[in-house]
Amino acid sequence: MMYGWLWRHLPGPAAVRVVLLALLAAAVLAACFLWLFPALAPYMPFNDTTVGE
């Protein structure tokens, strides 16, 4: 449903839309790795690396 909405609202022929979708996906992935994941990392339970006593 979301991908259909994106496809219908992007301008240009199919080849241009594929390139735009690839750029959008790369931008979302970069934003996740640069800002989202580092912001969430301190709250993840697997960051506790101490061995139980």
Side-chain angles (χ1 to χ4, degrees), residues 14-51:
V16 173
R17 291 178 182 186
V18 168
V19 171
L20 287 174
L21 283 174
L23 289 173
L24 284 171
V28 168
L29 187 66
C32 286
F33 275 101
L34 290 173
W35 296 297
L36 180 65
F37 297 155
L40 293 177
Y43 302 106
M44 295 292 106
F46 48 80
N47 284 337
D48 298 332
T49 57
T50 58
V51 176

